[in-house]
Amino acid sequence: MQHQRIPMTVDEYHLMEQPFGYKVEYWDDHAVITPRENHVVTQLRVVARVVSPACRLVALDTSRQQEMAETFFAAFHDTVEFCDWNESHIREFADRSISGYFAGKRGVPHPASVMALAQDGSIIGLALLLTDEAGDVCLDLLCVVPAYQRQKIATSMVATAVNQLSVLGVETLSSVYHICNESSRDWHHRFGFVDVYDQMYIRLKYAWYRNEVWRRDKLGLFDGLDALKAERDFWLAQLDESSSFG
């Protein structure tokens, strides 16, 4: 995925609707739109649930780490997480991520982790869980290769893992998603994860609503403006006193 460059005048730039979570700048008569490097923490209360497997789910096989790295690359090579990265660097990151997981660099690999297999036995999805230094269980990586997305494979993998966590007495599972990855955000919310907002997210949310209220008022777009103002004020109230805006 590459950043966007949209030709426009500076006046058009100031009055454009800015996508939330992105950095929007003006360079050389173009609006330049780039994903920010921010993530949103989410938490799920662990409760056993019915699983309808969309494919074959199995425990992780450490001998297949290279295949797992290929699955990572296939799932993420054209997403906001790696905007403007070249292919070789994404592959290197995928290799480090998988090897680092099994080496325990981010926490202890959890036995509830699963991988999804196609009919030919190839890996098409991963749900890697770990226990971090604080003893909390986290969803470290969730991915499905593009050809198998939107077939409830991610849901099946995580539901299977959650059921194992429930048996073990784990009460909470945490995860994160990229602030600009709408598909990941929507999946987390549908599954039941609840966002835990930090001050950076709150500042970005307030700034977006503040700018959108100003923009619509400037353009005479008054329908729904009161609702936007209410959202702006809601996020302003969540800010720490140390946060300030001009």
Side-chain angles (χ1 to χ4, degrees):
M1 175 182 176
Q2 301 296 311
H3 69 268
Q4 291 181 271
R5 283 178 55 86
I6 305 172
M8 63 178 65
T9 67
V10 67
D11 290 336
E12 290 172 330
Y13 162 74
H14 286 303
L15 292 174
M16 70 177 287
E17 181 176 355
Q18 300 189 4
F20 175 70
Y22 289 78
K23 182 168 59 176
V24 183
E25 301 170 297
Y26 192 72
W27 299 343
D28 300 327
D29 300 321
H30 287 74
V32 181
I33 304 175
T34 310
R36 293 181 181 273
E37 296 297 326
N38 295 87
H39 293 80
V40 181
V41 175
T42 66
Q43 290 187 335
L44 176 76
R45 186 169 68 90
V46 171
V47 177
R49 56 182 69 199
V50 176
V51 180
S52 300
C55 62
R56 184 183 171 202
L57 304 179
V58 299
L60 301 184
D61 182 346
T62 58
S63 69
R64 302 181 69 177
Q65 291 184 43
Q66 185 55 50
E67 292 176 73
M68 295 182 198
E70 290 295 331
T71 300
F72 183 115
F73 174 80
F76 286 107
H77 76 278
D78 193 31
T79 63
V80 293
E81 287 84 354
F82 297 96
C83 181
D84 292 334
W85 286 46
N86 64 47
E87 181 176 311
S88 63
H89 288 163
I90 300 173
R91 288 189 181 279
E92 290 172 4
F93 186 95
D95 289 341
R96 289 197 306 271
S97 179
I98 296 299
S99 63
Y101 172 80
F102 285 102
K105 292 185 177 180
R106 299 186 295 277
V108 179
H110 198 285
S113 303
V114 297
M115 58 186 188
L117 304 182
Q119 289 186 348
D120 64 1
S122 60
I123 301 174
I124 57 174
L126 295 167
L128 306 186
L129 284 69
L130 56 77
T131 304
D132 65 18
E133 292 182 351
D136 298 323
V137 181
C138 310
L139 181 56
D140 183 62
L141 174 66
L142 176 64
C143 64
V144 177
V145 298
Y148 289 88
Q149 290 175 3
R150 294 177 176 80
Q151 298 180 32
K152 299 190 180 301
I153 293 173
T155 297
S156 295
M157 289 192 296
V158 179
T160 298
V162 164
N163 285 348
Q164 294 186 52
L165 296 179
S166 178
V167 171
L168 295 171
V170 176
E171 297 181 350
T172 304
L173 174 66
S174 64
S175 182
V176 298
Y177 62 84
H178 191 285
I179 194 172
C180 298
N181 191 329
E182 296 181 5
S183 295
S184 182
R185 178 198 64 201
D186 292 346
W187 179 87
H188 277 87
H189 292 173
R190 285 196 306 271
F191 196 88
F193 283 88
V194 177
D195 295 341
V196 181
Y197 301 126
D198 60 16
Q199 282 295 303
M200 174 58 75
Y201 182 92
I202 293 169
R203 287 198 296 271
L204 291 173
K205 204 71 171 177
Y206 166 67
W208 187 90
Y209 277 105
R210 184 185 66 169
N211 183 74
E212 186 62 8
V213 166
W214 174 87
R215 186 185 75 88
R216 293 198 182 196
D217 185 67
K218 199 78 171 175
L219 292 171
L221 303 174
F222 301 122
D223 287 348
L225 194 58
D226 287 342
L228 287 172
K229 289 180 179 179
E231 285 285 348
R232 176 200 61 192
D233 295 344
F234 169 81
W235 290 104
L236 176 60
Q238 312 307 310
L239 284 171
D240 285 343
E241 293 182 0
S242 58
S243 300
S244 62
F245 287 85

mmCIF file with all atom_site columns, all heavy atoms in Angstrom, residues 221-242:
data_model
loop_
_atom_site.group_PDB
_atom_site.id
_atom_site.type_symbol
_atom_site.label_atom_id
_atom_site.label_alt_id
_atom_site.label_comp_id
_atom_site.label_asym_id
_atom_site.label_entity_id
_atom_site.label_seq_id
_atom_site.pdbx_PDB_ins_code
_atom_site.Cartn_x
_atom_site.Cartn_y
_atom_site.Cartn_z
_atom_site.occupancy
_atom_site.B_iso_or_equiv
_atom_site.pdbx_formal_charge
_atom_site.auth_seq_id
_atom_site.auth_comp_id
_atom_site.auth_asym_id
_atom_site.auth_atom_id
_atom_site.pdbx_PDB_model_num
ATOM 1   N N   . LEU A 1 221 ? -22.811 23.300 5.864  1.00 0.00 ? 221 LEU A N   1
ATOM 2   C CA  . LEU A 1 221 ? -23.413 21.962 5.957  1.00 0.00 ? 221 LEU A CA  1
ATOM 3   C C   . LEU A 1 221 ? -23.884 21.756 7.398  1.00 0.00 ? 221 LEU A C   1
ATOM 4   O O   . LEU A 1 221 ? -23.160 21.227 8.241  1.00 0.00 ? 221 LEU A O   1
ATOM 5   C CB  . LEU A 1 221 ? -22.389 20.893 5.559  1.00 0.00 ? 221 LEU A CB  1
ATOM 6   C CG  . LEU A 1 221 ? -21.784 21.034 4.158  1.00 0.00 ? 221 LEU A CG  1
ATOM 7   C CD1 . LEU A 1 221 ? -20.685 19.996 3.938  1.00 0.00 ? 221 LEU A CD1 1
ATOM 8   C CD2 . LEU A 1 221 ? -22.867 20.893 3.098  1.00 0.00 ? 221 LEU A CD2 1
ATOM 9   N N   . PHE A 1 222 ? -25.097 22.166 7.683  1.00 0.00 ? 222 PHE A N   1
ATOM 10  C CA  . PHE A 1 222 ? -25.561 22.210 9.067  1.00 0.00 ? 222 PHE A CA  1
ATOM 11  C C   . PHE A 1 222 ? -26.302 20.948 9.512  1.00 0.00 ? 222 PHE A C   1
ATOM 12  O O   . PHE A 1 222 ? -26.512 20.753 10.707 1.00 0.00 ? 222 PHE A O   1
ATOM 13  C CB  . PHE A 1 222 ? -26.456 23.436 9.264  1.00 0.00 ? 222 PHE A CB  1
ATOM 14  C CG  . PHE A 1 222 ? -25.751 24.736 8.940  1.00 0.00 ? 222 PHE A CG  1
ATOM 15  C CD1 . PHE A 1 222 ? -26.252 25.588 7.967  1.00 0.00 ? 222 PHE A CD1 1
ATOM 16  C CD2 . PHE A 1 222 ? -24.578 25.083 9.588  1.00 0.00 ? 222 PHE A CD2 1
ATOM 17  C CE1 . PHE A 1 222 ? -25.603 26.774 7.657  1.00 0.00 ? 222 PHE A CE1 1
ATOM 18  C CE2 . PHE A 1 222 ? -23.917 26.268 9.292  1.00 0.00 ? 222 PHE A CE2 1
ATOM 19  C CZ  . PHE A 1 222 ? -24.428 27.122 8.322  1.00 0.00 ? 222 PHE A CZ  1
ATOM 20  N N   . ASP A 1 223 ? -26.709 20.103 8.565  1.00 0.00 ? 223 ASP A N   1
ATOM 21  C CA  . ASP A 1 223 ? -27.394 18.865 8.946  1.00 0.00 ? 223 ASP A CA  1
ATOM 22  C C   . ASP A 1 223 ? -26.443 17.979 9.758  1.00 0.00 ? 223 ASP A C   1
ATOM 23  O O   . ASP A 1 223 ? -25.331 17.674 9.324  1.00 0.00 ? 223 ASP A O   1
ATOM 24  C CB  . ASP A 1 223 ? -27.858 18.098 7.704  1.00 0.00 ? 223 ASP A CB  1
ATOM 25  C CG  . ASP A 1 223 ? -29.053 18.754 7.030  1.00 0.00 ? 223 ASP A CG  1
ATOM 26  O OD1 . ASP A 1 223 ? -29.646 19.652 7.660  1.00 0.00 ? 223 ASP A OD1 1
ATOM 27  O OD2 . ASP A 1 223 ? -29.385 18.371 5.893  1.00 0.00 ? 223 ASP A OD2 1
ATOM 28  N N   . GLY A 1 224 ? -26.888 17.571 10.932 1.00 0.00 ? 224 GLY A N   1
ATOM 29  C CA  . GLY A 1 224 ? -26.073 16.707 11.777 1.00 0.00 ? 224 GLY A CA  1
ATOM 30  C C   . GLY A 1 224 ? -24.981 17.420 12.539 1.00 0.00 ? 224 GLY A C   1
ATOM 31  O O   . GLY A 1 224 ? -24.187 16.776 13.237 1.00 0.00 ? 224 GLY A O   1
ATOM 32  N N   . LEU A 1 225 ? -24.921 18.744 12.439 1.00 0.00 ? 225 LEU A N   1
ATOM 33  C CA  . LEU A 1 225 ? -23.836 19.486 13.073 1.00 0.00 ? 225 LEU A CA  1
ATOM 34  C C   . LEU A 1 225 ? -23.914 19.417 14.600 1.00 0.00 ? 225 LEU A C   1
ATOM 35  O O   . LEU A 1 225 ? -22.879 19.318 15.275 1.00 0.00 ? 225 LEU A O   1
ATOM 36  C CB  . LEU A 1 225 ? -23.854 20.947 12.610 1.00 0.00 ? 225 LEU A CB  1
ATOM 37  C CG  . LEU A 1 225 ? -22.594 21.771 12.911 1.00 0.00 ? 225 LEU A CG  1
ATOM 38  C CD1 . LEU A 1 225 ? -21.362 21.130 12.290 1.00 0.00 ? 225 LEU A CD1 1
ATOM 39  C CD2 . LEU A 1 225 ? -22.764 23.202 12.398 1.00 0.00 ? 225 LEU A CD2 1
ATOM 40  N N   . ASP A 1 226 ? -25.118 19.435 15.144 1.00 0.00 ? 226 ASP A N   1
ATOM 41  C CA  . ASP A 1 226 ? -25.258 19.370 16.600 1.00 0.00 ? 226 ASP A CA  1
ATOM 42  C C   . ASP A 1 226 ? -24.724 18.047 17.144 1.00 0.00 ? 226 ASP A C   1
ATOM 43  O O   . ASP A 1 226 ? -24.096 18.008 18.212 1.00 0.00 ? 226 ASP A O   1
ATOM 44  C CB  . ASP A 1 226 ? -26.723 19.552 17.003 1.00 0.00 ? 226 ASP A CB  1
ATOM 45  C CG  . ASP A 1 226 ? -27.201 20.990 16.832 1.00 0.00 ? 226 ASP A CG  1
ATOM 46  O OD1 . ASP A 1 226 ? -26.337 21.892 16.732 1.00 0.00 ? 226 ASP A OD1 1
ATOM 47  O OD2 . ASP A 1 226 ? -28.426 21.209 16.790 1.00 0.00 ? 226 ASP A OD2 1
ATOM 48  N N   . ALA A 1 227 ? -24.965 16.965 16.409 1.00 0.00 ? 227 ALA A N   1
ATOM 49  C CA  . ALA A 1 227 ? -24.458 15.658 16.844 1.00 0.00 ? 227 ALA A CA  1
ATOM 50  C C   . ALA A 1 227 ? -22.932 15.633 16.813 1.00 0.00 ? 227 ALA A C   1
ATOM 51  O O   . ALA A 1 227 ? -22.283 15.075 17.713 1.00 0.00 ? 227 ALA A O   1
ATOM 52  C CB  . ALA A 1 227 ? -25.021 14.554 15.954 1.00 0.00 ? 227 ALA A CB  1
ATOM 53  N N   . LEU A 1 228 ? -22.346 16.253 15.791 1.00 0.00 ? 228 LEU A N   1
ATOM 54  C CA  . LEU A 1 228 ? -20.886 16.329 15.710 1.00 0.00 ? 228 LEU A CA  1
ATOM 55  C C   . LEU A 1 228 ? -20.317 17.157 16.859 1.00 0.00 ? 228 LEU A C   1
ATOM 56  O O   . LEU A 1 228 ? -19.275 16.817 17.431 1.00 0.00 ? 228 LEU A O   1
ATOM 57  C CB  . LEU A 1 228 ? -20.461 16.928 14.374 1.00 0.00 ? 228 LEU A CB  1
ATOM 58  C CG  . LEU A 1 228 ? -20.626 16.030 13.141 1.00 0.00 ? 228 LEU A CG  1
ATOM 59  C CD1 . LEU A 1 228 ? -20.340 16.826 11.878 1.00 0.00 ? 228 LEU A CD1 1
ATOM 60  C CD2 . LEU A 1 228 ? -19.704 14.823 13.222 1.00 0.00 ? 228 LEU A CD2 1
ATOM 61  N N   . LYS A 1 229 ? -20.994 18.248 17.199 1.00 0.00 ? 229 LYS A N   1
ATOM 62  C CA  . LYS A 1 229 ? -20.539 19.079 18.315 1.00 0.00 ? 229 LYS A CA  1
ATOM 63  C C   . LYS A 1 229 ? -20.601 18.302 19.629 1.00 0.00 ? 229 LYS A C   1
ATOM 64  O O   . LYS A 1 229 ? -19.712 18.431 20.486 1.00 0.00 ? 229 LYS A O   1
ATOM 65  C CB  . LYS A 1 229 ? -21.386 20.342 18.408 1.00 0.00 ? 229 LYS A CB  1
ATOM 66  C CG  . LYS A 1 229 ? -21.128 21.344 17.287 1.00 0.00 ? 229 LYS A CG  1
ATOM 67  C CD  . LYS A 1 229 ? -22.017 22.576 17.437 1.00 0.00 ? 229 LYS A CD  1
ATOM 68  C CE  . LYS A 1 229 ? -21.742 23.597 16.339 1.00 0.00 ? 229 LYS A CE  1
ATOM 69  N NZ  . LYS A 1 229 ? -22.625 24.790 16.457 1.00 0.00 ? 229 LYS A NZ  1
ATOM 70  N N   . ALA A 1 230 ? -21.641 17.492 19.780 1.00 0.00 ? 230 ALA A N   1
ATOM 71  C CA  . ALA A 1 230 ? -21.764 16.684 20.994 1.00 0.00 ? 230 ALA A CA  1
ATOM 72  C C   . ALA A 1 230 ? -20.619 15.673 21.084 1.00 0.00 ? 230 ALA A C   1
ATOM 73  O O   . ALA A 1 230 ? -20.048 15.453 22.165 1.00 0.00 ? 230 ALA A O   1
ATOM 74  C CB  . ALA A 1 230 ? -23.113 15.975 21.013 1.00 0.00 ? 230 ALA A CB  1
ATOM 75  N N   . GLU A 1 231 ? -20.270 15.061 19.941 1.00 0.00 ? 231 GLU A N   1
ATOM 76  C CA  . GLU A 1 231 ? -19.139 14.128 19.921 1.00 0.00 ? 231 GLU A CA  1
ATOM 77  C C   . GLU A 1 231 ? -17.836 14.862 20.239 1.00 0.00 ? 231 GLU A C   1
ATOM 78  O O   . GLU A 1 231 ? -16.997 14.365 20.997 1.00 0.00 ? 231 GLU A O   1
ATOM 79  C CB  . GLU A 1 231 ? -19.044 13.451 18.555 1.00 0.00 ? 231 GLU A CB  1
ATOM 80  C CG  . GLU A 1 231 ? -20.082 12.381 18.308 1.00 0.00 ? 231 GLU A CG  1
ATOM 81  C CD  . GLU A 1 231 ? -19.767 11.100 19.059 1.00 0.00 ? 231 GLU A CD  1
ATOM 82  O OE1 . GLU A 1 231 ? -18.641 10.956 19.582 1.00 0.00 ? 231 GLU A OE1 1
ATOM 83  O OE2 . GLU A 1 231 ? -20.658 10.238 19.129 1.00 0.00 ? 231 GLU A OE2 1
ATOM 84  N N   . ARG A 1 232 ? -17.656 16.033 19.654 1.00 0.00 ? 232 ARG A N   1
ATOM 85  C CA  . ARG A 1 232 ? -16.462 16.840 19.936 1.00 0.00 ? 232 ARG A CA  1
ATOM 86  C C   . ARG A 1 232 ? -16.339 17.114 21.431 1.00 0.00 ? 232 ARG A C   1
ATOM 87  O O   . ARG A 1 232 ? -15.268 16.930 22.032 1.00 0.00 ? 232 ARG A O   1
ATOM 88  C CB  . ARG A 1 232 ? -16.544 18.157 19.165 1.00 0.00 ? 232 ARG A CB  1
ATOM 89  C CG  . ARG A 1 232 ? -15.405 19.136 19.435 1.00 0.00 ? 232 ARG A CG  1
ATOM 90  C CD  . ARG A 1 232 ? -15.814 20.543 19.038 1.00 0.00 ? 232 ARG A CD  1
ATOM 91  N NE  . ARG A 1 232 ? -16.970 21.010 19.804 1.00 0.00 ? 232 ARG A NE  1
ATOM 92  C CZ  . ARG A 1 232 ? -17.675 22.104 19.502 1.00 0.00 ? 232 ARG A CZ  1
ATOM 93  N NH1 . ARG A 1 232 ? -17.352 22.831 18.449 1.00 0.00 ? 232 ARG A NH1 1
ATOM 94  N NH2 . ARG A 1 232 ? -18.706 22.465 20.258 1.00 0.00 ? 232 ARG A NH2 1
ATOM 95  N N   . ASP A 1 233 ? -17.429 17.523 22.046 1.00 0.00 ? 233 ASP A N   1
ATOM 96  C CA  . ASP A 1 233 ? -17.404 17.856 23.468 1.00 0.00 ? 233 ASP A CA  1
ATOM 97  C C   . ASP A 1 233 ? -17.184 16.615 24.330 1.00 0.00 ? 233 ASP A C   1
ATOM 98  O O   . ASP A 1 233 ? -16.539 16.688 25.390 1.00 0.00 ? 233 ASP A O   1
ATOM 99  C CB  . ASP A 1 233 ? -18.705 18.555 23.864 1.00 0.00 ? 233 ASP A CB  1
ATOM 100 C CG  . ASP A 1 233 ? -18.865 19.911 23.175 1.00 0.00 ? 233 ASP A CG  1
ATOM 101 O OD1 . ASP A 1 233 ? -17.858 20.432 22.658 1.00 0.00 ? 233 ASP A OD1 1
ATOM 102 O OD2 . ASP A 1 233 ? -20.003 20.426 23.146 1.00 0.00 ? 233 ASP A OD2 1
ATOM 103 N N   . PHE A 1 234 ? -17.720 15.474 23.878 1.00 0.00 ? 234 PHE A N   1
ATOM 104 C CA  . PHE A 1 234 ? -17.512 14.221 24.613 1.00 0.00 ? 234 PHE A CA  1
ATOM 105 C C   . PHE A 1 234 ? -16.028 13.881 24.682 1.00 0.00 ? 234 PHE A C   1
ATOM 106 O O   . PHE A 1 234 ? -15.495 13.560 25.753 1.00 0.00 ? 234 PHE A O   1
ATOM 107 C CB  . PHE A 1 234 ? -18.277 13.082 23.941 1.00 0.00 ? 234 PHE A CB  1
ATOM 108 C CG  . PHE A 1 234 ? -17.912 11.720 24.474 1.00 0.00 ? 234 PHE A CG  1
ATOM 109 C CD1 . PHE A 1 234 ? -18.471 11.249 25.649 1.00 0.00 ? 234 PHE A CD1 1
ATOM 110 C CD2 . PHE A 1 234 ? -16.994 10.915 23.800 1.00 0.00 ? 234 PHE A CD2 1
ATOM 111 C CE1 . PHE A 1 234 ? -18.121 9.994  26.154 1.00 0.00 ? 234 PHE A CE1 1
ATOM 112 C CE2 . PHE A 1 234 ? -16.639 9.670  24.299 1.00 0.00 ? 234 PHE A CE2 1
ATOM 113 C CZ  . PHE A 1 234 ? -17.206 9.208  25.475 1.00 0.00 ? 234 PHE A CZ  1
ATOM 114 N N   . TRP A 1 235 ? -15.348 13.949 23.533 1.00 0.00 ? 235 TRP A N   1
ATOM 115 C CA  . TRP A 1 235 ? -13.929 13.599 23.517 1.00 0.00 ? 235 TRP A CA  1
ATOM 116 C C   . TRP A 1 235 ? -13.090 14.644 24.234 1.00 0.00 ? 235 TRP A C   1
ATOM 117 O O   . TRP A 1 235 ? -12.084 14.305 24.880 1.00 0.00 ? 235 TRP A O   1
ATOM 118 C CB  . TRP A 1 235 ? -13.452 13.390 22.083 1.00 0.00 ? 235 TRP A CB  1
ATOM 119 C CG  . TRP A 1 235 ? -14.041 12.148 21.482 1.00 0.00 ? 235 TRP A CG  1
ATOM 120 C CD1 . TRP A 1 235 ? -15.057 12.073 20.578 1.00 0.00 ? 235 TRP A CD1 1
ATOM 121 C CD2 . TRP A 1 235 ? -13.688 10.801 21.794 1.00 0.00 ? 235 TRP A CD2 1
ATOM 122 N NE1 . TRP A 1 235 ? -15.353 10.760 20.293 1.00 0.00 ? 235 TRP A NE1 1
ATOM 123 C CE2 . TRP A 1 235 ? -14.532 9.960  21.022 1.00 0.00 ? 235 TRP A CE2 1
ATOM 124 C CE3 . TRP A 1 235 ? -12.744 10.218 22.635 1.00 0.00 ? 235 TRP A CE3 1
ATOM 125 C CZ2 . TRP A 1 235 ? -14.450 8.574  21.078 1.00 0.00 ? 235 TRP A CZ2 1
ATOM 126 C CZ3 . TRP A 1 235 ? -12.657 8.830  22.693 1.00 0.00 ? 235 TRP A CZ3 1
ATOM 127 C CH2 . TRP A 1 235 ? -13.507 8.025  21.921 1.00 0.00 ? 235 TRP A CH2 1
ATOM 128 N N   . LEU A 1 236 ? -13.487 15.904 24.167 1.00 0.00 ? 236 LEU A N   1
ATOM 129 C CA  . LEU A 1 236 ? -12.776 16.948 24.905 1.00 0.00 ? 236 LEU A CA  1
ATOM 130 C C   . LEU A 1 236 ? -12.814 16.666 26.400 1.00 0.00 ? 236 LEU A C   1
ATOM 131 O O   . LEU A 1 236 ? -11.819 16.854 27.112 1.00 0.00 ? 236 LEU A O   1
ATOM 132 C CB  . LEU A 1 236 ? -13.397 18.314 24.609 1.00 0.00 ? 236 LEU A CB  1
ATOM 133 C CG  . LEU A 1 236 ? -12.818 19.509 25.376 1.00 0.00 ? 236 LEU A CG  1
ATOM 134 C CD1 . LEU A 1 236 ? -11.334 19.680 25.068 1.00 0.00 ? 236 LEU A CD1 1
ATOM 135 C CD2 . LEU A 1 236 ? -13.589 20.783 25.039 1.00 0.00 ? 236 LEU A CD2 1
ATOM 136 N N   . ALA A 1 237 ? -13.945 16.185 26.882 1.00 0.00 ? 237 ALA A N   1
ATOM 137 C CA  . ALA A 1 237 ? -14.096 15.910 28.313 1.00 0.00 ? 237 ALA A CA  1
ATOM 138 C C   . ALA A 1 237 ? -13.213 14.750 28.772 1.00 0.00 ? 237 ALA A C   1
ATOM 139 O O   . ALA A 1 237 ? -12.934 14.621 29.974 1.00 0.00 ? 237 ALA A O   1
ATOM 140 C CB  . ALA A 1 237 ? -15.560 15.609 28.634 1.00 0.00 ? 237 ALA A CB  1
ATOM 141 N N   . GLN A 1 238 ? -12.759 13.900 27.832 1.00 0.00 ? 238 GLN A N   1
ATOM 142 C CA  . GLN A 1 238 ? -11.915 12.760 28.193 1.00 0.00 ? 238 GLN A CA  1
ATOM 143 C C   . GLN A 1 238 ? -10.434 13.120 28.276 1.00 0.00 ? 238 GLN A C   1
ATOM 144 O O   . GLN A 1 238 ? -9.624  12.321 28.750 1.00 0.00 ? 238 GLN A O   1
ATOM 145 C CB  . GLN A 1 238 ? -12.077 11.624 27.171 1.00 0.00 ? 238 GLN A CB  1
ATOM 146 C CG  . GLN A 1 238 ? -13.504 11.261 26.813 1.00 0.00 ? 238 GLN A CG  1
ATOM 147 C CD  . GLN A 1 238 ? -14.369 10.969 28.009 1.00 0.00 ? 238 GLN A CD  1
ATOM 148 O OE1 . GLN A 1 238 ? -13.996 10.188 28.878 1.00 0.00 ? 238 GLN A OE1 1
ATOM 149 N NE2 . GLN A 1 238 ? -15.532 11.601 28.060 1.00 0.00 ? 238 GLN A NE2 1
ATOM 150 N N   . LEU A 1 239 ? -10.092 14.316 27.809 1.00 0.00 ? 239 LEU A N   1
ATOM 151 C CA  . LEU A 1 239 ? -8.685  14.707 27.773 1.00 0.00 ? 239 LEU A CA  1
ATOM 152 C C   . LEU A 1 239 ? -8.151  15.007 29.167 1.00 0.00 ? 239 LEU A C   1
ATOM 153 O O   . LEU A 1 239 ? -8.848  15.573 30.010 1.00 0.00 ? 239 LEU A O   1
ATOM 154 C CB  . LEU A 1 239 ? -8.501  15.949 26.896 1.00 0.00 ? 239 LEU A CB  1
ATOM 155 C CG  . LEU A 1 239 ? -8.562  15.749 25.383 1.00 0.00 ? 239 LEU A CG  1
ATOM 156 C CD1 . LEU A 1 239 ? -8.590  17.096 24.685 1.00 0.00 ? 239 LEU A CD1 1
ATOM 157 C CD2 . LEU A 1 239 ? -7.371  14.927 24.900 1.00 0.00 ? 239 LEU A CD2 1
ATOM 158 N N   . ASP A 1 240 ? -6.891  14.640 29.392 1.00 0.00 ? 240 ASP A N   1
ATOM 159 C CA  . ASP A 1 240 ? -6.215  15.053 30.616 1.00 0.00 ? 240 ASP A CA  1
ATOM 160 C C   . ASP A 1 240 ? -6.069  16.566 30.621 1.00 0.00 ? 240 ASP A C   1
ATOM 161 O O   . ASP A 1 240 ? -5.977  17.202 29.567 1.00 0.00 ? 240 ASP A O   1
ATOM 162 C CB  . ASP A 1 240 ? -4.818  14.424 30.699 1.00 0.00 ? 240 ASP A CB  1
ATOM 163 C CG  . ASP A 1 240 ? -4.882  12.951 31.067 1.00 0.00 ? 240 ASP A CG  1
ATOM 164 O OD1 . ASP A 1 240 ? -5.943  12.508 31.556 1.00 0.00 ? 240 ASP A OD1 1
ATOM 165 O OD2 . ASP A 1 240 ? -3.874  12.250 30.852 1.00 0.00 ? 240 ASP A OD2 1
ATOM 166 N N   . GLU A 1 241 ? -5.986  17.151 31.801 1.00 0.00 ? 241 GLU A N   1
ATOM 167 C CA  . GLU A 1 241 ? -5.825  18.601 31.898 1.00 0.00 ? 241 GLU A CA  1
ATOM 168 C C   . GLU A 1 241 ? -4.531  19.071 31.257 1.00 0.00 ? 241 GLU A C   1
ATOM 169 O O   . GLU A 1 241 ? -4.423  20.210 30.811 1.00 0.00 ? 241 GLU A O   1
ATOM 170 C CB  . GLU A 1 241 ? -5.867  19.032 33.366 1.00 0.00 ? 241 GLU A CB  1
ATOM 171 C CG  . GLU A 1 241 ? -7.229  18.838 34.024 1.00 0.00 ? 241 GLU A CG  1
ATOM 172 C CD  . GLU A 1 241 ? -7.248  19.314 35.461 1.00 0.00 ? 241 GLU A CD  1
ATOM 173 O OE1 . GLU A 1 241 ? -6.193  19.795 35.924 1.00 0.00 ? 241 GLU A OE1 1
ATOM 174 O OE2 . GLU A 1 241 ? -8.301  19.201 36.106 1.00 0.00 ? 241 GLU A OE2 1
ATOM 175 N N   . SER A 1 242 ? -3.530  18.175 31.192 1.00 0.00 ? 242 SER A N   1
ATOM 176 C CA  . SER A 1 242 ? -2.242  18.562 30.610 1.00 0.00 ? 242 SER A CA  1
ATOM 177 C C   . SER A 1 242 ? -2.302  18.688 29.097 1.00 0.00 ? 242 SER A C   1
ATOM 178 O O   . SER A 1 242 ? -1.425  19.274 28.471 1.00 0.00 ? 242 SER A O   1
ATOM 179 C CB  . SER A 1 242 ? -1.166  17.537 30.979 1.00 0.00 ? 242 SER A CB  1
ATOM 180 O OG  . SER A 1 242 ? -1.532  16.244 30.521 1.00 0.00 ? 242 SER A OG  1
#
